[in-house]
Amino acid sequence: MFKGTIIAKEAAKGFEEIQDMAGTIGINGTAHSLPADPRTSLLDFLRHDLGLTGTKKGCDHGQCGACTVIVNGMRINSCLTLAAMHEGDRVTTIEGIGGPDAPSDLQHAFMAHDALQCGYCTPGQICSAQAMLAEIAEGWPSDATADLTSEATFSDEEIRERMSGNLCRCGAYANIVAAIRDVARGRADATV
Amino acid sequence: MQPFELVRAPSPSDAAQLTKDEHTRLIAGGTNLLDLMKLQVETPSRLADISRLDCAEITDTPDGGLRIGALVTNTATAVHPRVRQDYPVLARAILAGATQQLRNKATTGGNLCQRTRCFYFTKIDQPCNKRDPGSGCSAIEGVAKLHAVLGTSDQCIATYPGDMAVAMSALDAEVHIMKEDGTERSVPVRDFHLLPGDTPWRENELGRGEMITAVTLPPPVGGAHYYRKVRERSSYAFALVSVAAVIEIEGGVFTRADLAFGGLAHKPWFDPAIGAVLLGKAADDALFDEAADVLLQSARGFGENDFKIPLARRTLRAVLTQAVEDAA
């Protein structure tokens, strides 16, 4: 797995120069070279370097969730991580979840339930919800889970707690919960 | 952000060695450090990436406890079957903090080292003895709702903001630290964080040339576990007051009462005298007040945070009342 590669020049022992490293990051199934400037957040890398502007910059401080993407299956705030630290990682953005021609079940549900007004938070909401449904399927508890040792169960209270990292300034929360609830039920029915 | 070079530390001892340079910071999850770098509260000239070092596992210890690697994410700890089964106070505390996105990145070591959320600390145009020693403390007569009521000094009234370490204090966990020469030392979590005193910039026992490698939990302690966190909204907010408790009651009498408190001080607050008041005595409201008296005997508010003193009393009473009801 980790080969101990080095990202930038370091005079101390055991370090190599960046040029020696074939560093790439996988975005929606395509490998891209890592940015040269280590300051580049994953969010800025996606938007500025790759033109993947579906991922949004809201607060840039991990407070709003508009920048949520899925890295190796885990949802994170792309504003609070350096792109250069994601060598070899697999990133899924909203563009990788679906587009106008082939929207995902969550994207369909957000439209059907009018789960947005301005839409700025929506890509982050959908990436977050996509990972959140997988977390519940794994049986991971949340702060709203009554019994830590039993399987997590699906409820509106669980959705609200688990989605608390995604703010919606338009206040479309009720319909966001409804959209996610629909998809969760749909997926559960599909697996019966 | 100020320009910096990014290197990968090949091993924990190399990482420890790199920290001897005062302008180098270790980065793992980065959720706190990068935030502070954007605000220019932190302006390191070098970041040493430790995120891929071999410290990301949770393993059983020979005595039946649990070793949580420094790079284990908060999520991985909170969902671990043994943490949920044997140390639920820890799972509860972690799940009560931040958001899933942040917990997926935040690590055990980074969480122990996270910086205060004092408004003045994070605004570089404001005086702050922690960020800029000798410049003064703006919070003492300023916006201080989140601030400390215990263990403050005339230099600093900031709080340690985390939840995880509060539960680890109740559990009497141990922090393992590697030095640059590869040797290790350990410090009880209860002693890891420091009070501000005259050196508010020194927040914990970690010195230059050291890196946290793990936290170990003792063998399962039994009892009923509680983490009660009072905050300004029901999710994604820092604690105004939190209580981590491991309680055993037999025949209406406390036989175990390990209590630690968050949101009240520059460190998770643990005072064995609080639990000692309860041990061997019949649980009633008068006894709960006696314990709260010990907790709050030296408490001092700074205006905006005066409410924390009665709030801490009520929160402790609520946890103990719940424990008595659950034991009945």
Side-chain angles (χ1 to χ4, degrees):
Chain A
M1 216 172 70
F2 173 52
K3 299 290 196 293
T5 40
I6 308 304
I7 298 168
K9 185 174 182 178
E10 163 57 47
K13 58 177 172 171
F15 296 104
E16 306 160 35
E17 292 190 16
I18 186 169
Q19 294 93 299
D20 299 335
M21 189 188 73
T24 62
I25 178 172
I27 313 284
N28 301 327
T30 304
H32 296 273
S33 295
L34 293 168
D37 188 338
R39 288 176 295 180
T40 312
S41 68
L42 178 58
L43 173 61
D44 286 345
F45 180 66
L46 293 169
R47 290 181 57 85
H48 296 174
D49 295 14
L50 304 184
L52 293 170
T53 53
T55 306
K56 297 294 188 270
K57 182 182 282 192
C59 68
D60 210 27
H61 287 277
Q63 296 175 6
C64 76
C67 68
T68 302
V69 298
I70 303 171
V71 178
N72 300 338
M74 306 286 276
R75 51 176 161 155
I76 67 167
N77 301 110
S78 62
C79 72
L80 282 187
T81 193
L82 300 173
M85 286 177 67
H86 286 281
E87 185 195 6
D89 286 350
R90 299 177 308 283
V91 181
T92 302
T93 69
I94 189 69
E95 290 90 346
I97 286 179
D101 297 336
S104 75
D105 52 359
L106 272 165
Q107 288 169 320
H108 261 303
F110 268 63
M111 289 186 281
H113 283 275
D114 205 13
L116 57 125
Q117 197 177 113
C118 81
Y120 196 79
C121 73
T122 311
Q125 299 278 1
I126 288 175
C127 284
S128 196
Q130 175 80 16
M132 186 268 278
L133 292 170
E135 290 154 14
I136 292 183
E138 287 286 323
W140 292 0
S142 83
D143 191 44
T145 309
D147 181 357
L148 287 179
T149 54
S150 69
E151 290 288 294
T153 52
F154 201 84
S155 69
D156 284 5
E157 196 193 354
E158 286 278 7
I159 298 174
R160 289 178 184 279
E161 165 56 28
R162 290 168 187 268
M163 293 295 291
S164 73
N166 292 83
L167 303 186
C168 170
R169 292 291 306 266
C170 303
Y173 295 111
N175 293 353
I176 291 171
V177 171
I180 296 171
R181 184 200 305 134
D182 256 20
V183 171
R185 284 181 182 156
R187 291 186 186 182
D189 291 346
T191 58
V192 169
Chain B
M1 267 189 259
Q2 299 285 326
F4 58 85
E5 68 169 344
L6 180 62
V7 303
R8 269 191 202 161
S11 71
S13 58
D14 286 301
Q17 195 228 324
L18 285 168
T19 67
K20 293 199 81 173
D21 168 22
E22 64 172 317
H23 301 295
T24 295
R25 293 282 181 278
L26 304 184
I27 184 167
T31 52
N32 191 195
L33 179 59
L34 293 172
D35 188 22
L36 293 174
M37 286 172 65
K38 291 180 185 194
L39 298 167
Q40 299 196 20
V41 173
E42 289 274 12
T43 54
S45 57
R46 181 197 288 145
L47 290 184
D49 178 359
I50 57 171
S51 65
R52 304 194 184 213
L53 295 181
D54 187 21
C55 304
E57 292 201 338
I58 299 178
T59 50
D60 294 340
T61 59
D63 66 357
L66 211 55
R67 180 183 174 95
I68 303 169
L71 297 171
V72 173
T73 64
N74 278 180
T75 294
T77 301
V79 307
H80 191 274
R82 276 209 61 201
V83 176
R84 288 155 69 180
Q85 180 69 46
D86 295 333
Y87 311 96
V89 66
L90 178 58
R92 284 280 173 215
I94 291 173
L95 293 171
T99 66
Q100 188 70 44
Q101 287 98 316
L102 291 167
R103 293 191 296 269
N104 285 346
K105 281 297 279 181
T107 62
T108 309
N111 195 307
L112 285 172
C113 295
Q114 76 169 309
R115 313 296 303 276
T116 186
R117 263 56 181 191
C118 172
F119 316 109
Y120 302 102
F121 172 70
T122 54
K123 288 190 175 56
I124 59 170
D125 60 348
Q126 299 291 319
C128 170
N129 287 324
K130 183 185 284 295
R131 174 173 35 72
D132 184 13
S135 62
C137 174
S138 310
I140 287 175
E141 293 183 1
V143 177
K145 193 191 284 182
L146 288 173
H147 290 69
V149 294
L150 293 172
T152 56
S153 75
D154 57 8
Q155 298 276 306
C156 180
I157 62 169
T159 48
Y160 170 75
D163 296 291
M164 180 194 80
V166 180
M168 287 177 170
S169 288
L171 290 167
D172 199 12
E174 194 93 359
V175 184
H176 297 263
I177 295 168
M178 181 170 281
K179 300 189 198 184
E180 55 185 306
D181 61 7
T183 60
E184 288 196 272
R185 70 181 181 113
S186 65
V187 182
V189 170
R190 291 171 182 174
D191 300 329
F192 180 73
H193 297 93
L194 305 172
L195 290 177
D198 293 330
T199 55
W201 56 90
R202 250 198 103 210
E203 296 174 351
N204 57 54
E205 278 289 333
L206 204 59
R208 292 230 180 98
E210 293 188 323
M211 175 187 145
I212 298 172
T213 51
V215 171
T216 49
L217 305 179
V221 293
H225 291 210
Y226 302 91
Y227 190 76
R228 186 142 180 159
K229 179 175 178 179
V230 183
R231 42 189 161 171
E232 288 188 296
R233 55 185 183 193
S234 62
S235 186
Y236 195 18
F238 291 100
L240 297 170
V241 174
S242 69
V243 179
V246 178
I247 305 280
E248 268 176 7
I249 299 171
E250 285 172 26
V253 170
F254 283 98
T255 54
R256 183 180 200 113
D258 299 332
L259 300 161
F261 300 82
L264 296 179
H266 202 255
K267 58 181 290 185
W269 193 263
F270 176 83
D271 176 356
I274 303 165
V277 166
L278 299 168
L279 289 183
K281 298 196 190 120
D284 62 28
D285 285 350
L287 183 65
F288 302 165
D289 264 337
E290 226 181 292
D293 288 342
V294 174
L295 166 68
L296 298 165
Q297 58 191 338
S298 65
R300 176 192 166 194
F302 294 85
E304 282 206 342
N305 69 347
D306 289 349
F307 72 93
K308 282 192 175 185
I309 297 171
L311 182 62
R313 177 177 297 274
R314 288 200 304 273
T315 310
L316 173 58
R317 192 189 294 151
V319 168
L320 297 175
T321 302
Q322 181 72 49
V324 170
E325 284 175 15
D326 292 347

